[in-house]
Coordinates of all heavy atoms in Angstrom, one line a residue:
M445 N -26.2 0.1 49.0 CA -26.5 -0.5 47.7 C -27.1 0.6 46.8 O -27.9 1.4 47.4 CB -27.5 -1.7 47.8 CG -27.6 -2.5 46.6 SD -28.7 -3.9 46.7 CE -27.7 -5.0 47.7
Q446 N -26.9 0.6 45.6 CA -27.4 1.6 44.6 C -28.9 1.4 44.5 O -29.4 0.3 44.6 CB -26.7 1.5 43.3 CG -25.2 1.5 43.3 CD -24.7 2.9 43.6 OE1 -25.3 3.9 43.4 NE2 -23.4 3.0 44.0
K447 N -29.6 2.5 44.2 CA -31.1 2.5 44.1 C -31.6 1.6 43.0 O -32.5 0.8 43.2 CB -31.6 3.9 43.9 CG -33.0 4.0 43.8 CD -33.5 5.4 43.4 CE -35.0 5.4 43.1 NZ -35.3 6.1 41.9
N448 N -31.1 1.7 41.8 CA -31.6 0.9 40.7 C -31.2 -0.5 40.8 O -32.0 -1.4 40.4 CB -31.0 1.5 39.4 CG -31.6 2.8 39.0 OD1 -32.8 3.1 39.4 ND2 -30.9 3.7 38.4
I449 N -30.0 -0.8 41.4 CA -29.6 -2.2 41.6 C -30.6 -2.9 42.6 O -31.0 -4.0 42.4 CB -28.2 -2.3 42.0 CG1 -27.3 -1.9 40.8 CG2 -27.8 -3.7 42.4 CD1 -25.8 -1.9 41.0
A450 N -30.8 -2.2 43.7 CA -31.7 -2.7 44.7 C -33.1 -2.9 44.2 O -33.8 -3.9 44.5 CB -31.7 -1.8 46.0
G451 N -33.6 -1.9 43.4 CA -34.9 -2.0 42.8 C -35.0 -3.2 41.9 O -36.0 -3.9 41.8
T452 N -34.0 -3.4 41.0 CA -34.0 -4.5 40.1 C -34.0 -5.8 40.8 O -34.7 -6.7 40.4 CB -32.7 -4.4 39.2 OG1 -32.7 -3.1 38.5 CG2 -32.7 -5.5 38.1
I453 N -33.2 -5.9 41.8 CA -33.2 -7.2 42.6 C -34.6 -7.5 43.2 O -35.1 -8.6 43.1 CB -32.1 -7.2 43.7 CG1 -30.7 -7.2 43.1 CG2 -32.3 -8.3 44.7 CD1 -29.6 -7.0 44.0
F454 N -35.2 -6.4 43.8 CA -36.5 -6.6 44.4 C -37.6 -6.9 43.3 O -38.4 -7.9 43.5 CB -36.9 -5.4 45.2 CG -38.3 -5.4 45.7 CD1 -38.6 -6.2 46.8 CD2 -39.3 -4.7 45.2 CE1 -39.9 -6.3 47.3 CE2 -40.6 -4.7 45.7 CZ -40.9 -5.6 46.8
Y455 N -37.7 -6.1 42.3 CA -38.7 -6.3 41.3 C -38.5 -7.6 40.5 O -39.5 -8.3 40.2 CB -38.7 -5.2 40.3 CG -39.1 -3.8 40.9 CD1 -38.5 -2.7 40.5 CD2 -40.1 -3.7 41.9 CE1 -38.8 -1.4 41.0 CE2 -40.4 -2.5 42.4 CZ -39.8 -1.4 42.0 OH -40.1 -0.2 42.6
S456 N -37.3 -8.0 40.3 CA -37.1 -9.3 39.6 C -37.5 -10.5 40.5 O -38.0 -11.5 40.0 CB -35.6 -9.4 39.1 OG -34.7 -9.5 40.2
L457 N -37.2 -10.4 41.7 CA -37.6 -11.5 42.6 C -39.2 -11.6 42.7 O -39.8 -12.6 42.7 CB -37.0 -11.3 44.0 CG -35.6 -11.7 44.2 CD1 -35.1 -11.3 45.6 CD2 -35.3 -13.1 43.9
L458 N -39.8 -10.4 42.7 CA -41.2 -10.3 42.7 C -41.8 -10.9 41.5 O -42.8 -11.7 41.5 CB -41.7 -8.9 42.9 CG -43.1 -8.6 43.2 CD1 -43.5 -9.2 44.5 CD2 -43.4 -7.1 43.2
F459 N -41.2 -10.6 40.3 CA -41.6 -11.2 39.1 C -41.4 -12.7 39.0 O -42.2 -13.4 38.4 CB -40.9 -10.5 37.9 CG -41.3 -11.0 36.6 CD1 -42.6 -10.8 36.1 CD2 -40.4 -11.8 35.8 CE1 -43.0 -11.4 34.8 CE2 -40.8 -12.3 34.6 CZ -42.1 -12.1 34.1
A460 N -40.3 -13.2 39.6 CA -40.0 -14.6 39.6 C -41.0 -15.4 40.3 O -41.4 -16.5 39.9 CB -38.6 -14.9 40.2
M461 N -41.6 -14.8 41.4 CA -42.6 -15.5 42.1 C -44.0 -15.4 41.4 O -44.8 -16.3 41.4 CB -42.7 -14.9 43.5 CG -41.6 -15.2 44.4 SD -41.8 -14.6 46.1 CE -41.5 -12.9 45.9
G462 N -44.3 -14.2 40.9 CA -45.6 -14.0 40.3 C -45.7 -14.2 38.8 O -46.7 -14.4 38.2
G463 N -44.5 -14.1 38.1 CA -44.5 -14.2 36.7 C -44.7 -15.6 36.1 O -45.4 -15.7 35.1
A464 N -44.3 -16.6 36.8 CA -44.5 -18.0 36.3 C -46.0 -18.3 36.2 O -46.4 -18.8 35.2 CB -43.7 -19.0 37.1
P465 N -46.7 -18.1 37.2 CA -48.2 -18.4 37.1 C -48.9 -17.5 36.1 O -49.8 -17.9 35.4 CB -48.7 -18.1 38.5 CG -47.6 -18.1 39.4 CD -46.4 -17.7 38.6
T466 N -48.4 -16.2 36.0 CA -49.1 -15.3 35.1 C -48.8 -15.8 33.6 O -49.7 -15.8 32.8 CB -48.5 -13.9 35.3 OG1 -48.8 -13.5 36.6 CG2 -49.2 -12.9 34.3
I467 N -47.6 -16.1 33.3 CA -47.2 -16.6 32.0 C -48.0 -17.9 31.7 O -48.5 -18.0 30.6 CB -45.7 -16.8 31.8 CG1 -45.0 -15.4 31.9 CG2 -45.3 -17.5 30.5 CD1 -43.5 -15.5 32.1
A468 N -48.0 -18.8 32.6 CA -48.8 -20.0 32.4 C -50.3 -19.8 32.2 O -50.8 -20.4 31.3 CB -48.6 -20.9 33.7
M469 N -50.9 -18.9 32.9 CA -52.3 -18.6 32.7 C -52.5 -17.9 31.4 O -53.5 -18.2 30.7 CB -52.8 -17.7 33.9 CG -54.3 -17.5 33.8 SD -55.3 -19.0 33.8 CE -55.4 -19.4 35.5
I470 N -51.7 -17.0 30.9 CA -51.8 -16.4 29.6 C -51.7 -17.5 28.5 O -52.5 -17.5 27.6 CB -50.8 -15.3 29.4 CG1 -51.1 -14.1 30.3 CG2 -50.7 -14.8 28.0 CD1 -50.0 -13.0 30.4
M471 N -50.8 -18.4 28.7 CA -50.6 -19.5 27.7 C -51.9 -20.3 27.7 O -52.3 -20.8 26.6 CB -49.4 -20.3 28.0 CG -48.1 -19.6 27.7 SD -46.6 -20.5 28.3 CE -46.6 -21.8 27.1
I472 N -52.5 -20.6 28.8 CA -53.7 -21.4 28.9 C -54.9 -20.7 28.3 O -55.7 -21.3 27.5 CB -54.0 -21.8 30.3 CG1 -53.0 -22.8 30.8 CG2 -55.4 -22.4 30.5 CD1 -53.0 -23.0 32.3
K473 N -55.0 -19.4 28.5 CA -56.1 -18.6 28.0 C -56.0 -18.5 26.5 O -57.0 -18.4 25.8 CB -56.0 -17.2 28.5 CG -56.4 -17.1 30.0 CD -57.9 -17.4 30.1 CE -58.5 -16.5 31.1 NZ -59.9 -16.8 31.2
L474 N -54.8 -18.6 25.9 CA -54.7 -18.5 24.4 C -55.0 -19.8 23.7 O -55.2 -19.9 22.5 CB -53.2 -18.1 24.1 CG -52.8 -16.7 24.5 CD1 -51.3 -16.5 24.2 CD2 -53.7 -15.7 23.8
Q475 N -55.1 -20.9 24.5 CA -55.5 -22.2 23.9 C -56.9 -22.6 24.2 O -57.5 -22.1 25.2 CB -54.6 -23.3 24.5 CG -53.1 -23.1 24.3 CD -52.3 -24.1 25.0 OE1 -52.8 -25.1 25.5 NE2 -51.0 -23.9 25.0
N476 N -57.5 -23.4 23.3 CA -58.8 -23.9 23.5 C -58.6 -25.3 24.1 O -58.5 -26.3 23.4 CB -59.6 -24.0 22.2 CG -59.9 -22.6 21.7 OD1 -60.0 -21.7 22.5 ND2 -59.9 -22.5 20.4
V477 N -58.7 -25.4 25.4 CA -58.5 -26.7 26.1 C -59.8 -27.0 26.9 O -60.5 -26.2 27.3 CB -57.3 -26.5 27.1 CG1 -57.0 -27.8 27.8 CG2 -56.1 -26.0 26.4
H478 N -60.0 -28.3 27.0 CA -61.1 -28.8 27.8 C -60.9 -28.3 29.3 O -59.9 -28.2 29.8 CB -61.1 -30.3 27.8 CG -62.4 -30.9 28.3 ND1 -62.7 -31.1 29.6 CD2 -63.5 -31.2 27.6 CE1 -63.9 -31.6 29.7 NE2 -64.4 -31.7 28.5
V479 N -62.1 -27.9 29.9 CA -62.0 -27.3 31.2 C -61.4 -28.1 32.2 O -60.7 -27.6 33.1 CB -63.5 -26.9 31.6 CG1 -63.5 -26.3 33.0 CG2 -64.1 -26.0 30.6
D480 N -61.5 -29.5 32.2 CA -61.0 -30.3 33.2 C -59.4 -30.3 33.2 O -58.8 -30.6 34.2 CB -61.5 -31.8 33.0 CG -63.0 -31.9 33.2 OD1 -63.5 -31.0 33.8 OD2 -63.6 -32.8 32.6
F481 N -58.8 -30.0 32.1 CA -57.4 -30.1 32.0 C -56.7 -28.8 32.3 O -55.5 -28.7 32.4 CB -57.0 -30.5 30.6 CG -57.5 -31.9 30.2 CD1 -58.3 -32.1 29.2 CD2 -57.0 -33.0 30.9 CE1 -58.8 -33.3 28.8 CE2 -57.5 -34.3 30.6 CZ -58.4 -34.4 29.6
I482 N -57.5 -27.7 32.5 CA -56.9 -26.4 32.8 C -56.0 -26.4 34.0 O -54.9 -25.9 34.0 CB -58.0 -25.3 32.8 CG1 -58.5 -25.1 31.4 CG2 -57.4 -24.0 33.4 CD1 -59.6 -24.0 31.3
Y483 N -56.5 -26.9 35.1 CA -55.8 -26.9 36.4 C -54.5 -27.7 36.2 O -53.4 -27.3 36.7 CB -56.6 -27.5 37.5 CG -55.9 -27.5 38.8 CD1 -55.7 -26.3 39.5 CD2 -55.4 -28.7 39.4 CE1 -55.0 -26.3 40.7 CE2 -54.7 -28.7 40.5 CZ -54.5 -27.5 41.2 OH -53.8 -27.5 42.4
Q484 N -54.5 -28.9 35.6 CA -53.3 -29.7 35.4 C -52.3 -29.0 34.5 O -51.1 -29.0 34.8 CB -53.7 -31.1 34.8 CG -54.5 -31.9 35.8 CD -55.0 -33.2 35.1 OE1 -54.9 -33.3 33.9 NE2 -55.6 -34.1 35.8
T485 N -52.8 -28.4 33.5 CA -52.0 -27.6 32.6 C -51.3 -26.4 33.3 O -50.2 -26.1 33.1 CB -52.8 -27.2 31.3 OG1 -53.4 -28.3 30.8 CG2 -51.9 -26.5 30.3
F486 N -52.2 -25.7 34.1 CA -51.7 -24.6 34.8 C -50.5 -25.0 35.8 O -49.5 -24.3 35.8 CB -52.8 -24.0 35.6 CG -52.4 -22.8 36.5 CD1 -52.0 -21.6 35.9 CD2 -52.4 -22.9 37.8 CE1 -51.7 -20.5 36.7 CE2 -52.1 -21.8 38.6 CZ -51.7 -20.6 38.1
I487 N -50.7 -26.0 36.5 CA -49.7 -26.4 37.5 C -48.4 -26.9 36.7 O -47.3 -26.5 37.1 CB -50.2 -27.6 38.4 CG1 -51.3 -27.1 39.2 CG2 -49.1 -28.2 39.2 CD1 -51.0 -26.0 40.2
G488 N -48.6 -27.6 35.6 CA -47.4 -28.1 34.9 C -46.7 -26.9 34.2 O -45.4 -26.9 34.3
L489 N -47.4 -26.0 33.6 CA -46.7 -24.9 33.0 C -46.0 -24.0 34.0 O -44.9 -23.5 33.8 CB -47.7 -24.0 32.2 CG -48.1 -24.6 30.8 CD1 -49.2 -23.8 30.2 CD2 -46.9 -24.6 29.9
T490 N -46.7 -23.8 35.2 CA -46.1 -23.0 36.2 C -44.8 -23.6 36.7 O -43.8 -22.8 36.9 CB -47.1 -22.8 37.4 OG1 -48.3 -22.2 37.0 CG2 -46.5 -22.0 38.5
V491 N -44.8 -24.9 36.9 CA -43.5 -25.5 37.4 C -42.4 -25.4 36.3 O -41.3 -25.1 36.6 CB -43.8 -27.0 37.8 CG1 -42.5 -27.8 38.0 CG2 -44.7 -27.0 39.0
M492 N -42.8 -25.7 35.0 CA -41.8 -25.6 34.0 C -41.2 -24.2 33.8 O -40.0 -24.0 33.7 CB -42.4 -26.1 32.6 CG -42.7 -27.6 32.6 SD -43.3 -28.3 31.1 CE -43.9 -26.9 30.1
I493 N -42.1 -23.2 33.8 CA -41.6 -21.8 33.7 C -40.8 -21.4 34.9 O -39.8 -20.7 34.7 CB -42.8 -20.9 33.4 CG1 -43.4 -21.2 32.0 CG2 -42.4 -19.4 33.4 CD1 -44.8 -20.5 31.8
A494 N -41.3 -21.8 36.1 CA -40.6 -21.4 37.3 C -39.2 -22.1 37.3 O -38.2 -21.5 37.8 CB -41.4 -21.8 38.5
C495 N -39.0 -23.3 36.8 CA -37.7 -23.9 36.7 C -36.7 -23.2 35.8 O -35.5 -23.4 36.0 CB -37.9 -25.4 36.3 SG -38.6 -26.4 37.5
L496 N -37.2 -22.4 34.9 CA -36.4 -21.6 34.1 C -36.2 -20.2 34.6 O -35.1 -19.7 34.6 CB -36.9 -21.6 32.6 CG -37.0 -22.9 31.9 CD1 -37.7 -22.6 30.6 CD2 -35.6 -23.3 31.6
L497 N -37.3 -19.6 35.0 CA -37.3 -18.2 35.4 C -36.6 -17.9 36.7 O -35.7 -17.0 36.8 CB -38.8 -17.7 35.5 CG -39.0 -16.3 35.7 CD1 -38.5 -15.5 34.5 CD2 -40.5 -16.0 35.9
I498 N -36.8 -18.7 37.7 CA -36.2 -18.5 39.0 C -34.7 -18.6 39.0 O -34.0 -17.7 39.5 CB -36.9 -19.3 40.1 CG1 -38.4 -18.8 40.3 CG2 -36.2 -19.3 41.4 CD1 -39.2 -19.7 41.2
P499 N -34.1 -19.7 38.4 CA -32.7 -19.7 38.4 C -32.0 -18.6 37.6 O -31.0 -18.0 38.1 CB -32.4 -21.1 37.7 CG -33.6 -21.9 38.0 CD -34.7 -20.9 38.0
L500 N -32.7 -18.2 36.5 CA -32.1 -17.0 35.8 C -32.1 -15.7 36.6 O -31.2 -15.0 36.6 CB -32.9 -16.8 34.5 CG -32.7 -17.8 33.4 CD1 -33.6 -17.6 32.2 CD2 -31.2 -17.8 32.9
V501 N -33.2 -15.5 37.3 CA -33.3 -14.3 38.2 C -32.3 -14.4 39.3 O -31.7 -13.4 39.7 CB -34.8 -14.1 38.7 CG1 -34.8 -13.1 39.8 CG2 -35.7 -13.7 37.5
L502 N -32.2 -15.6 39.9 CA -31.2 -15.7 41.0 C -29.8 -15.5 40.5 O -29.0 -14.9 41.2 CB -31.3 -17.1 41.7 CG -32.6 -17.3 42.5 CD1 -32.7 -18.7 43.0 CD2 -32.7 -16.3 43.6
I503 N -29.4 -16.0 39.4 CA -28.1 -15.7 38.8 C -27.9 -14.3 38.5 O -26.8 -13.7 38.9 CB -27.9 -16.6 37.5 CG1 -27.8 -18.1 37.9 CG2 -26.6 -16.1 36.8 CD1 -27.9 -19.0 36.7
Q504 N -28.9 -13.6 37.9 CA -28.8 -12.2 37.7 C -28.6 -11.4 39.0 O -27.8 -10.5 39.1 CB -30.1 -11.7 37.0 CG -30.2 -10.2 36.9 CD -31.6 -9.8 36.7 OE1 -32.2 -10.1 35.6 NE2 -32.2 -9.1 37.6
N505 N -29.4 -11.7 40.0 CA -29.4 -11.0 41.2 C -28.1 -11.2 42.0 O -27.6 -10.3 42.7 CB -30.6 -11.3 42.1 CG -31.8 -10.7 41.6 OD1 -31.8 -9.9 40.7 ND2 -33.0 -11.2 42.0
T506 N -27.5 -12.4 41.9 CA -26.2 -12.7 42.5 C -25.1 -11.8 41.8 O -24.3 -11.2 42.5 CB -25.8 -14.2 42.3 OG1 -26.8 -15.0 42.9 CG2 -24.5 -14.5 42.9
Y507 N -25.2 -11.7 40.5 CA -24.2 -10.8 39.8 C -24.4 -9.4 40.2 O -23.5 -8.6 40.5 CB -24.4 -11.0 38.3 CG -23.6 -10.0 37.5 CD1 -22.2 -10.3 37.3 CD2 -24.1 -8.9 36.9 CE1 -21.4 -9.4 36.6 CE2 -23.3 -8.0 36.2 CZ -22.0 -8.3 36.1 OH -21.2 -7.4 35.4
L508 N -25.7 -8.9 40.3 CA -26.0 -7.5 40.7 C -25.5 -7.3 42.2 O -25.0 -6.2 42.5 CB -27.4 -7.2 40.6 CG -28.0 -7.1 39.2 CD1 -29.5 -6.9 39.2 CD2 -27.3 -6.0 38.4
Y509 N -25.7 -8.3 43.0 CA -25.3 -8.1 44.4 C -23.7 -8.0 44.5 O -23.2 -7.2 45.3 CB -25.8 -9.3 45.3 CG -25.4 -9.1 46.7 CD1 -26.1 -8.2 47.5 CD2 -24.4 -9.8 47.3 CE1 -25.8 -8.0 48.8 CE2 -24.1 -9.7 48.6 CZ -24.8 -8.7 49.4 OH -24.5 -8.6 50.7
I510 N -23.0 -8.8 43.7 CA -21.6 -8.7 43.7 C -21.1 -7.4 43.2 O -20.1 -6.8 43.8 CB -21.0 -9.9 42.9 CG1 -21.3 -11.2 43.6 CG2 -19.5 -9.7 42.7 CD1 -21.0 -12.5 42.8
K511 N -21.7 -6.9 42.2 CA -21.3 -5.6 41.6 C -22.1 -4.4 42.1 O -22.2 -3.4 41.5 CB -21.6 -5.7 40.1 CG -20.8 -6.7 39.4 CD -19.4 -6.3 39.2 CE -18.6 -7.3 38.4 NZ -17.3 -6.9 38.0
R512 N -22.7 -4.5 43.3 CA -23.6 -3.5 43.8 C -23.0 -2.1 44.0 O -23.7 -1.1 44.1 CB -24.2 -4.0 45.1 CG -23.3 -4.1 46.3 CD -23.9 -4.7 47.5 NE -23.0 -4.8 48.6 CZ -22.3 -5.9 48.8 NH1 -22.4 -6.9 48.0 NH2 -21.4 -6.0 49.8
K513 N -21.7 -2.0 44.1 CA -21.1 -0.6 44.3 C -20.6 0.0 43.0 O -20.0 1.1 43.0 CB -20.0 -0.7 45.3 CG -20.5 -1.2 46.6 CD -19.5 -1.1 47.7 CE -20.0 -1.7 48.9 NZ -19.8 -1.0 50.1
N514 N -20.8 -0.7 41.9 CA -20.4 -0.2 40.6 C -21.4 0.9 40.1 O -22.5 0.6 39.8 CB -20.3 -1.4 39.6 CG -19.7 -1.0 38.3 OD1 -19.6 0.2 37.9 ND2 -19.3 -2.0 37.6
T515 N -20.9 2.1 39.9 CA -21.8 3.2 39.5 C -22.1 3.1 38.0 O -23.2 3.6 37.6 CB -21.1 4.6 39.8 OG1 -19.8 4.6 39.2 CG2 -21.0 4.8 41.3
E516 N -21.2 2.6 37.2 CA -21.5 2.4 35.8 C -22.6 1.4 35.6 O -23.5 1.6 34.7 CB -20.3 2.0 35.0 CG -19.2 3.0 34.9 CD -18.0 2.5 34.2 OE1 -18.1 1.5 33.5 OE2 -16.9 3.1 34.4
L517 N -22.6 0.4 36.3 CA -23.7 -0.6 36.3 C -25.0 0.0 36.7 O -26.1 -0.3 36.2 CB -23.3 -1.9 37.1 CG -24.3 -3.0 37.1 CD1 -24.5 -3.6 35.6 CD2 -23.9 -4.1 38.0
E518 N -24.9 0.8 37.7 CA -26.1 1.5 38.2 C -26.8 2.3 37.1 O -28.1 2.2 37.0 CB -25.7 2.4 39.4 CG -26.8 3.4 39.9 CD -27.9 2.7 40.6 OE1 -27.7 1.5 41.0 OE2 -28.9 3.3 40.9
K519 N -26.1 2.9 36.3 CA -26.7 3.7 35.2 C -27.2 2.8 34.1 O -28.3 3.1 33.5 CB -25.6 4.6 34.6 CG -25.2 5.7 35.5 CD -24.0 6.5 34.9 CE -23.5 7.5 36.0 NZ -22.2 8.1 35.5
K520 N -26.5 1.7 33.8 CA -27.0 0.8 32.8 C -28.2 0.0 33.2 O -29.0 -0.4 32.3 CB -25.9 -0.2 32.4 CG -24.7 0.4 31.8 CD -23.6 -0.6 31.5 CE -22.4 0.0 30.9 NZ -21.3 -1.0 30.7
I521 N -28.4 -0.3 34.5 CA -29.4 -1.1 35.0 C -30.8 -0.4 35.2 O -31.8 -1.1 35.4 CB -29.0 -1.8 36.3 CG1 -29.6 -3.1 36.5 CG2 -29.2 -1.0 37.5 CD1 -28.9 -4.2 35.8
E522 N -30.8 0.9 35.0 CA -32.0 1.7 35.2 C -33.2 1.2 34.4 O -34.3 1.0 34.9 CB -31.8 3.1 35.0 CG -33.0 4.0 35.3 CD -32.7 5.5 35.1 OE1 -31.5 5.8 34.7 OE2 -33.6 6.3 35.4
T523 N -33.0 0.9 33.1 CA -34.1 0.5 32.3 C -34.5 -0.9 32.6 O -35.7 -1.2 32.6 CB -33.7 0.5 30.8 OG1 -32.5 -0.3 30.6 CG2 -33.4 1.9 30.3
L524 N -33.6 -1.8 33.0 CA -34.0 -3.1 33.5 C -34.9 -3.1 34.7 O -35.9 -3.8 34.8 CB -32.8 -4.0 33.7 CG -33.0 -5.5 34.1 CD1 -33.7 -6.2 32.9 CD2 -31.7 -6.1 34.4
C525 N -34.6 -2.2 35.6 CA -35.4 -2.0 36.8 C -36.8 -1.6 36.4 O -37.8 -2.1 36.9 CB -34.8 -0.9 37.7 SG -35.6 -0.6 39.2
Q526 N -36.9 -0.7 35.5 CA -38.2 -0.2 35.0 C -39.0 -1.3 34.3 O -40.2 -1.4 34.4 CB -38.1 1.0 34.1 CG -37.6 2.2 34.9 CD -37.2 3.4 34.0 OE1 -37.2 3.3 32.8 NE2 -36.9 4.5 34.6
V527 N -38.3 -2.1 33.5 CA -38.9 -3.3 32.8 C -39.5 -4.2 33.8 O -40.6 -4.7 33.7 CB -37.9 -4.0 31.9 CG1 -38.4 -5.3 31.4 CG2 -37.6 -3.1 30.7
Y528 N -38.7 -4.6 34.8 CA -39.3 -5.5 35.8 C -40.5 -4.9 36.6 O -41.4 -5.6 36.9 CB -38.2 -5.9 36.9 CG -37.3 -7.1 36.4 CD1 -35.9 -6.9 36.3 CD2 -37.9 -8.3 36.1 CE1 -35.2 -8.0 35.9 CE2 -37.1 -9.4 35.7 CZ -35.7 -9.2 35.6 OH -35.0 -10.3 35.2
L529 N -40.4 -3.6 36.8 CA -41.6 -3.0 37.5 C -42.8 -3.0 36.6 O -43.9 -3.3 37.1 CB -41.2 -1.5 37.8 CG -42.3 -0.7 38.4 CD1 -42.8 -1.3 39.8 CD2 -41.9 0.8 38.6
M530 N -42.6 -2.8 35.3 CA -43.8 -2.9 34.4 C -44.3 -4.3 34.3 O -45.5 -4.5 34.2 CB -43.4 -2.4 33.0 CG -43.1 -0.9 32.9 SD -44.6 0.0 33.4 CE -43.9 1.2 34.4
L531 N -43.4 -5.3 34.3 CA -43.8 -6.7 34.2 C -44.6 -7.0 35.5 O -45.7 -7.7 35.4 CB -42.6 -7.6 34.1 CG -42.0 -7.7 32.7 CD1 -40.7 -8.5 32.8 CD2 -42.9 -8.3 31.7
D532 N -44.2 -6.5 36.6 CA -44.9 -6.8 37.9 C -46.3 -6.1 37.9 O -47.3 -6.7 38.3 CB -44.1 -6.3 39.1 CG -42.9 -7.1 39.4 OD1 -42.8 -8.3 39.0 OD2 -42.0 -6.5 40.0
I533 N -46.4 -4.9 37.4 CA -47.7 -4.2 37.3 C -48.6 -4.9 36.3 O -49.8 -5.1 36.6 CB -47.4 -2.7 36.8 CG1 -46.8 -2.0 38.0 CG2 -48.8 -2.1 36.4 CD1 -46.3 -0.6 37.6
F534 N -48.0 -5.4 35.1 CA -48.8 -6.1 34.2 C -49.4 -7.4 34.8 O -50.6 -7.8 34.6 CB -48.0 -6.5 32.9 CG -48.7 -7.4 32.0 CD1 -49.7 -7.0 31.2 CD2 -48.3 -8.8 32.0 CE1 -50.4 -7.9 30.4 CE2 -48.9 -9.7 31.1 CZ -50.0 -9.2 30.3
A535 N -48.5 -8.1 35.6 CA -49.0 -9.4 36.2 C -50.1 -9.1 37.2 O -51.1 -9.8 37.3 CB -47.8 -10.1 36.9
L536 N -49.9 -8.0 38.0 CA -51.0 -7.7 39.0 C -52.3 -7.3 38.3 O -53.3 -7.8 38.7 CB -50.5 -6.5 39.8 CG -51.5 -6.0 40.8 CD1 -51.8 -7.0 41.9 CD2 -50.9 -4.7 41.5
I537 N -52.2 -6.5 37.2 CA -53.4 -6.1 36.5 C -54.1 -7.3 35.9 O -55.3 -7.5 35.9 CB -53.1 -5.0 35.5 CG1 -52.7 -3.7 36.2 CG2 -54.3 -4.8 34.5 CD1 -52.2 -2.7 35.3
F538 N -53.3 -8.2 35.3 CA -53.8 -9.5 34.7 C -54.6 -10.3 35.7 O -55.7 -10.7 35.5 CB -52.7 -10.3 34.1 CG -53.2 -11.6 33.6 CD1 -53.8 -11.8 32.4 CD2 -53.1 -12.8 34.4 CE1 -54.3 -13.0 31.9 CE2 -53.5 -14.0 34.0 CZ -54.1 -14.1 32.7
W539 N -54.0 -10.5 36.9 CA -54.7 -11.3 37.9 C -55.9 -10.6 38.5 O -56.9 -11.2 38.8 CB -53.8 -11.7 39.0 CG -52.9 -12.8 38.6 CD1 -51.5 -12.6 38.3 CD2 -53.2 -14.1 38.3 NE1 -51.0 -13.9 37.8 CE2 -52.0 -14.8 37.8 CE3 -54.4 -14.9 38.4 CZ2 -52.0 -16.1 37.5 CZ3 -54.4 -16.2 38.0 CH2 -53.2 -16.8 37.6
L540 N -55.9 -9.2 38.6 CA -57.1 -8.5 39.1 C -58.2 -8.6 38.0 O -59.4 -8.9 38.4 CB -56.8 -7.0 39.3 CG -55.9 -6.8 40.6 CD1 -55.5 -5.3 40.6 CD2 -56.6 -7.2 41.8
I541 N -57.9 -8.5 36.7 CA -58.9 -8.6 35.7 C -59.4 -10.1 35.7 O -60.6 -10.3 35.6 CB -58.3 -8.2 34.3 CG1 -58.1 -6.7 34.3 CG2 -59.2 -8.7 33.2 CD1 -57.3 -6.2 33.1
Y542 N -58.5 -11.0 35.8 CA -58.9 -12.4 35.8 C -59.9 -12.8 36.9 O -60.8 -13.5 36.8 CB -57.7 -13.3 35.8 CG -58.0 -14.8 35.8 CD1 -58.4 -15.4 34.6 CD2 -58.0 -15.6 36.9 CE1 -58.8 -16.8 34.6 CE2 -58.3 -16.9 36.9 CZ -58.7 -17.5 35.7 OH -59.0 -18.8 35.7
Q543 N -59.6 -12.2 38.1 CA -60.3 -12.5 39.3 C -61.7 -11.8 39.3 O -62.7 -12.4 39.7 CB -59.6 -12.0 40.5 CG -60.0 -12.5 41.8 CD -59.8 -14.0 41.9 OE1 -58.9 -14.6 41.3 NE2 -60.6 -14.6 42.8
F544 N -61.8 -10.6 38.7 CA -63.1 -9.9 38.9 C -63.9 -9.8 37.6 O -65.0 -9.3 37.6 CB -62.8 -8.5 39.4 CG -62.3 -8.5 40.8 CD1 -61.0 -8.1 41.0 CD2 -63.1 -8.9 41.8 CE1 -60.5 -8.1 42.3 CE2 -62.6 -8.9 43.1 CZ -61.3 -8.5 43.4
I545 N -63.4 -10.3 36.5 CA -64.2 -10.3 35.2 C -64.4 -11.7 34.7 O -63.8 -12.6 34.9 CB -63.4 -9.4 34.1 CG1 -63.4 -8.0 34.6 CG2 -64.1 -9.6 32.8 CD1 -62.7 -7.0 33.6

């Protein structure tokens, strides 16, 4: 399998698992909500975002897996691989800041 295609598949799956809670928590932080409703809102938003995000990532990764030997796609997908890596790093930094500050 090509390096960028394999990286994109890995980073996108990692983002699909961690991205939904991160996006939900950012949306909650941007709103002024009563403290008691934060957990319910967090769970609801996580499920709603995950229901959209995970199928899209799985469809994308299925396509990439089918086309894994295509060298032209390997060159085109390099920026997408880097975007997913940056999203994963952002999510990790967000949760570290949220946990310790």
